[in-house]
Amino acid sequence: MATTQYAQQRRRISILPYLLILPTFVFVALFTLYPTFNVLTTSQQYFHPNRPDRVRESDLGLPGVEVAERSIRGPHEVGLAYFRAMLNRSTSEGQVFYQVIGNTAFYTIVTVPATMALAFIFALLVNRSLRWVGFARVALFYPTMLPMVSAATIWLFFFTPDYGLWNSALRTFGYTGSENWIINRDLGLWALIIVSIWKNAGYFMIFYLAGLQSLPQDVYEAADLDGANWFAKMFRITLPLLRRTTLFVSVIAIITSFQNIDHAFVLTNELVTGEADLLLYAIYKQRFEIGNYGFANALTVVMIAILLIFTLTNFYLSERTDDER
């Protein structure tokens, strides 16, 4: 009898963890899983709500779609036509795709290492017991508290030709031009990179600072007894012990680089030729300005796939390294 009551009690208690995670599961299902599966479906539909509902013979301008009498507005099921079009450089979708993928890859490759390195240097500088260290931490973290639109507006003044602070500072190094960075096809993307690094370095500094302050001090004391210099302690103790922190920061930094869009609205919205368009900004333009819903959803699928593959690969390599150790 006692055994039966104990088994029933265990069954009742085992339900509690599932009830606790139920709100989170519902939230994730509604706002993450459902939109993800929905965009996979709608990426195979041709839909241009901005166009008139006029019927004519057309292949919709997509490879692999047969010519037929159909509405030029849609919606129509086109299968993987948008993905085939993206891989074909001769199509308008292919030209946009390769341009924004190249811009986003360059933007990520530059901003992520630069921001992480600057954040680590900031963390080293403020990880001290000095009188004004609290003020220094706030000053370095302050750009993070600004909305990206506000940060871009500040830098919009910095990038102003002639009297802008950016060009004025460059003149001290011998630069004599009055370049308007944000409408220059060669410099527009660099303007976005500079703003992103300035905005996010203080945020990632917090993670590195927390990691530095949690490192075991007895290891450094032993290194001092062995006569290890600063470089030896940095590259043989600090950086290896911060590997988990670096992994986390790198994942967040890469995801953030794919999510940045606000400063593009403020800075490079007049650069209509697309030389500075990032992937998320291209998705916005295709969805809300051009009205090409199917292509916008196909680009969204590509972005989700890139982030998923990178995140899983990164964590797999991290776990594999831990097993080898």
Side-chain angles (χ1 to χ4, degrees):
M1 183 67 178
T3 304
T4 304
Q5 291 178 349
Y6 177 73
Q8 293 176 352
Q9 186 179 8
R10 284 192 62 186
R11 281 197 295 270
R12 285 197 300 269
I13 295 175
S14 63
I15 300 175
L16 181 60
Y18 298 99
L19 294 176
L20 293 175
I21 67 172
L22 181 61
T24 302
F25 177 78
V26 172
F27 184 86
V28 171
L30 289 177
F31 298 101
T32 301
L33 297 180
Y34 171 73
T36 300
F37 287 108
N38 182 63
V39 78
L40 289 172
T41 303
T42 53
S43 64
Q44 303 177 42
Q45 292 180 351
Y46 170 95
F47 186 41
H48 281 261
N50 296 340
R51 295 180 177 178
D53 191 13
R54 187 166 59 244
V55 177
R56 65 180 177 87
E57 269 198 358
S58 172
D59 63 352
L60 306 178
L62 294 173
V65 177
E66 297 180 356
V67 177
E69 290 279 344
R70 55 169 66 92
S71 169
I72 62 174
R73 174 187 293 177
H76 306 296
E77 294 292 334
V78 295
L80 301 177
Y82 279 111
F83 297 97
R84 289 193 294 267
M86 284 192 296
L87 298 177
N88 188 349
R89 290 182 178 270
S90 63
T91 64
S92 59
E93 290 84 1
Q95 294 171 4
V96 171
F97 173 73
Y98 282 104
Q99 185 176 55
V100 299
I101 286 295
N103 290 344
T104 306
F106 181 76
Y107 178 87
T108 303
I109 291 172
V110 175
T111 57
V112 171
T115 307
M116 291 177 62
L118 191 60
F120 183 67
I121 293 173
F122 287 167
L124 290 176
L125 292 176
V126 299
N127 187 31
R128 304 181 183 187
S129 300
L130 300 177
R131 183 177 181 182
W132 298 102
V133 69
F135 175 79
R137 291 174 182 175
V138 173
L140 294 175
F141 184 74
Y142 179 74
T144 302
M145 297 185 290
L146 294 174
M148 182 61 89
V149 173
S150 300
T153 304
I154 294 172
W155 278 90
L156 187 64
F157 171 72
F158 288 175
F159 288 130
T160 302
D162 297 326
Y163 60 86
L165 296 180
W166 186 251
N167 285 327
S168 299
L170 290 178
R171 288 192 186 98
T172 61
F173 298 98
Y175 177 75
T176 58
S178 58
E179 190 64 64
N180 190 343
W181 285 56
I182 59 176
I183 63 173
N184 188 302
R185 296 182 180 181
D186 299 323
L187 299 177
L189 189 58
W190 281 104
L192 299 181
I193 290 172
I194 292 170
V195 175
S196 177
I197 294 173
W198 179 81
K199 175 74 167 58
N200 295 319
Y203 175 63
F204 299 137
M205 175 196 71
I206 297 299
F207 298 107
Y208 275 120
L209 181 59
L212 288 172
Q213 293 182 347
S214 64
L215 296 180
Q217 295 302 313
D218 54 346
V219 178
Y220 290 95
E221 293 174 359
D224 291 333
L225 293 175
D226 291 337
N229 57 27
W230 184 87
F231 289 98
K233 289 187 289 185
M234 176 61 63
F235 291 99
R236 293 183 178 272
I237 299 177
T238 303
L239 291 177
L241 291 178
L242 287 176
R243 190 172 53 83
R244 284 285 185 178
T245 302
T246 301
L247 171 64
F248 174 78
V249 171
S250 66
V251 172
I252 299 300
I254 291 178
I255 293 176
T256 301
S257 69
F258 277 84
Q259 292 177 335
N260 284 340
I261 184 175
D262 299 357
H263 59 334
F265 281 113
V266 178
L267 295 175
T268 59
N269 63 319
E270 296 182 5
L271 194 58
V272 295
T273 48
E275 281 81 358
D277 285 357
L278 301 176
L279 182 55
L280 187 58
Y281 187 51
I283 292 172
Y284 169 84
K285 289 176 64 175
Q286 293 293 328
R287 177 66 168 78
F288 296 103
E289 295 182 4
I290 301 175
N292 191 347
Y293 282 29
F295 184 39
N297 293 329
L299 289 174
T300 304
V301 171
V302 172
M303 185 177 70
I304 293 173
I306 292 173
L307 292 177
L308 182 62
I309 291 173
F310 165 77
T311 304
L312 293 179
T313 303
N314 208 346
F315 279 105
Y316 169 76
L317 293 177
S318 174
E319 296 296 330
R320 184 176 180 180
T321 303
D322 287 343
D323 294 340
E324 291 177 353
R325 291 187 177 185

